Amino acid sequence: MMMMKTCYFMTLLLALAVAAGAQEHKGKGEHRTVTDILQHTVSNLESEFVPAAEAMPEDKYGFAPTNGEFKGVRTFAQQIKHVAAVNYELAAAILQEKPPVDVGDETGPTNITSKADILNYLKDSFLYVHKAIATINEKNLVVPVKSPFGEGSVSRLGLATSVSSHGFDHYGQMVEYLRMNGIIPPASR
């Protein structure tokens, strides 16, 4: 529980730092709302994650490292589906509803296997996240909502910032997978 509280505290600090930085980039007299800042944060993830997912050839979507301590790690496709499934869970919690699609215990639907279908699932998850974040405002930002990951409650701010922190964690893994296959990630070109 202490680790979870520390994680949320760090996420809040990160969000505040992002918010402060985002305010500096606006012109004089312009004010960004919490919604604007959170949407921008998710868009940053989306603009790197989706092109990385698109960069891997379909015949390599089943790739997972095997050299070293990689036993049981997710394949490239499983990384993408996992992030999309968690996106749906986080967004649904913000909206206080059930995810509109199968999240498969955070693995995504088992029937989605082609690159095109996986990419659609991913892109649709980002659309749903943007829809959820559009409902966040200064009044409900820190109002507790039910956690999608067990008992307890969390804030919408914590859920919204978790989209990026979780997504970038897996993005880093995907970059390694791309490089192991001789592909330079689009953000590094």
Side-chain angles (χ1 to χ4, degrees):
M1 186 60 138
M2 183 62 162
M3 180 142 175
M4 191 175 201
K5 285 182 180 180
T6 301
C7 234
Y8 284 119
F9 179 72
M10 295 305 290
T11 301
L12 178 61
L13 285 178
L14 173 66
L16 292 174
V18 167
Q23 288 296 328
E24 291 176 16
H25 290 91
K26 291 291 275 185
K28 276 199 171 202
E30 293 182 62
H31 172 76
R32 285 192 177 175
T33 66
V34 166
T35 307
D36 294 338
I37 294 164
L38 293 173
Q39 292 285 19
H40 182 73
T41 302
V42 170
S43 292
N44 282 342
L45 168 65
E46 187 177 11
S47 71
E48 291 193 26
F49 198 95
V50 172
E54 293 171 334
M56 184 71 89
E58 184 162 18
D59 66 330
K60 301 279 188 181
Y61 256 53
F63 173 80
T66 56
N67 194 10
E69 297 294 323
F70 291 102
K71 186 176 182 178
V73 298
R74 292 182 175 103
T75 65
F76 191 82
Q78 289 169 334
Q79 295 279 357
I80 297 166
K81 286 174 50 173
H82 168 69
V83 167
V86 172
N87 281 353
Y88 277 113
E89 288 182 304
L90 293 168
I94 290 168
L95 294 167
Q96 296 182 289
E97 62 186 33
K98 291 186 135 200
V101 298
D102 179 13
V103 294
D105 196 29
E106 297 182 10
T107 61
T110 56
N111 65 330
I112 294 178
T113 57
S114 73
K115 178 179 177 178
D117 289 343
I118 292 168
L119 287 172
N120 284 335
Y121 184 68
L122 175 65
K123 290 174 184 179
D124 288 348
S125 79
F126 279 113
L127 289 174
Y128 188 57
V129 167
H130 285 295
K131 173 187 170 185
I133 288 177
T135 68
I136 298 175
N137 57 49
E138 285 79 2
K139 291 181 181 176
N140 69 10
L141 184 66
V142 294
V143 173
V145 295
K146 185 180 179 323
S147 172
F149 308 112
E151 297 300 315
S153 59
V154 294
S155 69
R156 286 177 177 86
L157 174 62
L159 293 166
T161 57
S162 291
V163 171
S164 291
S165 62
H166 177 257
F168 272 121
D169 176 42
H170 290 280
Y171 170 77
Q173 295 170 48
M174 291 169 54
V175 164
E176 291 300 317
Y177 287 25
L178 288 167
R179 290 191 180 278
M180 287 176 169
N181 283 280
I183 300 166
I184 298 171
S188 299
R189 295 181 188 156

